[in-house]
Amino acid sequence: MENFKSLSALAVKYQTVLGYSALSLMAAVGESLFSSIVYKCPCNSWNHAYGLVFLLVPALLFFLLGFMLNTSLWKQVTGCCNSHAFHRGFRYWCGKRVHCLYIVLQVTFLSALPPLTWIALALLKVSFYECIMSGLPLDYIKARFCGSHAVCMKELPFIPCGSSVKLNISQVMLEEIRGNITAESQVLGWCLIASVLLFALVATCISRCQSPVSHLQLMFWKTYVENEQKFLDQDSKRHAAELAERNVKSFFNQETQEKFSTPENKDWSSISTANKWTNEKTYYTPLHKFIERKTDSMKASIRSVLPPAEVNFAMAAI
């Protein structure tokens, strides 16, 4: 049981990483199944379009699915189009434009991992790229693979089906063309993988170098955010359950219940905005910022109400 709880805690802690890892694994398995079961190059004028559709459309679907599954994005988007948000302006739901752009770029990069996995594996397996290149109606492409051989240029679209279609070009030329296409496809695949890893490394280095806090405080920040979310989920469930129980009992018993304290809409909106670090005060999350400012306002109201002789006493008590 303890091991199960530990695994559950790790799953909750790294749910974003695990989610995109699972989506990338799904992309890898899907590409393998599609290329071996569903995909079959038509070996005619449809080669180019058919290969591009199988290479890019599933990648686009995985990209959109990655956006749909990102909770950080929906947290910022929810409620941004209501009248109150428009009245307050763009900063009502996003804080700062630069920080909003950072969130979008972060979500875009994470969502791009599964489709890039699909494309990289497809390029390494060559079949999609072979179908695309053999169907390109460009003289430059035909000359690059066939030189000045007119028969080869004419039969280039049939090369992906060379094992089942009789061709009028020699076996040596056929193997040479397939070898060139295979080399190009696999080189592009490895370059794509290397580019993604290099971009991730550079982005991580830039993010860490521009961190407003030290490494230890950054670890503390992450720990605080995880615990705050855990307690917020627990108390939200308990609070919602108590409110639901009160309302149901009131409905069936036809009794008037005492007032149930619940945060106002503006309070929920305040803690749902994007968090941005400032050097003026240390606010780890919007909830932390909301509580600290509320506390400061309460202290200010006490100072404005109490006589000078009582202010010092009240502040000492606080």
Side-chain angles (χ1 to χ4, degrees):
M1 183 61 69
E2 292 297 329
N3 292 333
F4 178 76
K5 290 182 178 179
S6 300
L7 291 175
S8 299
L10 286 175
V12 172
K13 182 178 180 180
Y14 299 105
Q15 58 180 342
T16 301
V17 176
L18 292 175
Y20 282 103
S21 299
L23 202 58
S24 299
L25 180 61
M26 188 186 304
V29 173
E31 193 281 331
S32 180
L33 292 176
F34 265 71
S35 60
S36 59
I37 299 176
V38 180
Y39 177 80
K40 185 177 180 180
C41 189
C43 296
N44 52 37
S45 59
W46 277 87
N47 280 20
H48 178 61
Y50 186 85
L52 281 178
V53 166
F54 270 81
L55 181 66
L56 299 180
V57 172
L60 176 61
L61 295 178
F62 277 111
F63 182 71
L64 297 177
L65 186 60
F67 262 87
M68 292 173 61
L69 296 179
N70 192 284
T71 55
S72 299
L73 178 65
W74 295 118
K75 180 180 178 182
Q76 304 306 322
V77 171
T78 302
C80 68
C81 294
N82 59 43
S83 58
H84 186 53
F86 276 118
H87 179 70
R88 293 280 298 275
F90 183 78
R91 295 187 178 184
Y92 167 74
W93 63 276
C94 200
K96 299 291 185 180
R97 289 182 176 86
V98 175
H99 189 66
C100 195
L101 178 62
Y102 170 77
I103 293 174
V104 172
L105 291 177
Q106 186 181 43
V107 174
T108 301
F109 176 74
L110 290 174
S111 301
L113 292 179
L116 289 176
T117 301
W118 173 282
I119 294 175
L121 290 177
L123 290 174
L124 290 176
K125 290 186 177 180
V126 183
S127 57
F128 292 170
Y129 185 80
E130 183 181 44
C131 192
I132 293 170
M133 297 305 292
S134 63
L136 279 174
L138 300 176
D139 294 337
Y140 165 73
I141 298 297
K142 294 179 180 180
R144 185 152 61 90
F145 290 116
C146 298
S148 58
H149 201 289
V151 177
C152 174
M153 292 183 180
K154 184 178 180 181
E155 295 188 346
L156 189 61
F158 302 103
I159 286 181
C161 303
S163 58
S164 58
V165 177
K166 185 178 180 180
L167 301 176
N168 294 319
I169 58 176
S170 64
Q171 187 66 26
V172 175
M173 179 175 288
L174 177 62
E175 294 297 329
E176 181 181 354
I177 294 173
R178 282 186 165 176
N180 291 336
I181 293 177
T182 299
E184 287 184 7
S185 181
Q186 292 180 343
V187 166
L188 287 175
W190 283 115
C191 288
L192 178 61
I193 294 173
S195 299
V196 172
L197 292 178
L198 180 62
F199 178 82
L201 177 61
V202 172
T204 302
C205 290
I206 294 175
S207 176
R208 289 303 180 96
C209 289
Q210 293 184 342
S211 174
V213 295
S214 63
H215 176 73
L216 293 179
Q217 191 173 3
L218 182 63
M219 296 299 103
F220 175 83
W221 188 354
K222 292 182 178 180
T223 303
Y224 171 81
V225 171
E226 293 168 3
N227 283 277
E228 182 190 88
Q229 188 62 47
K230 180 181 70 173
F231 291 126
L232 182 61
D233 292 340
Q234 292 176 355
D235 283 14
S236 295
K237 292 178 181 178
R238 178 183 56 80
H239 199 82
E242 291 176 357
L243 179 59
E245 183 181 9
R246 165 192 177 271
N247 293 338
V248 170
K249 286 183 177 180
S250 178
F251 174 76
F252 283 106
N253 298 332
Q254 295 296 302
E255 297 176 351
T256 303
Q257 300 291 331
E258 296 181 0
K259 184 178 179 181
F260 194 90
S261 179
T262 303
E264 299 179 358
N265 290 345
K266 63 179 182 179
D267 297 337
W268 285 108
S269 300
S270 298
I271 69 170
S272 299
T273 56
N275 186 42
K276 188 178 188 302
W277 186 276
T278 60
N279 293 325
E280 298 176 0
K281 289 189 177 181
T282 303
Y283 298 130
Y284 291 110
T285 61
L287 177 59
H288 183 201
K289 181 178 181 179
F290 174 79
I291 298 301
E292 293 296 334
R293 288 192 170 183
K294 188 175 182 180
T295 303
D296 292 342
S297 65
M298 290 177 64
K299 291 179 179 179
S301 64
I302 292 175
R303 295 192 195 99
S304 62
V305 172
L306 294 177
E310 297 181 12
V311 171
N312 293 334
F313 176 77
M315 294 305 299
I318 293 175

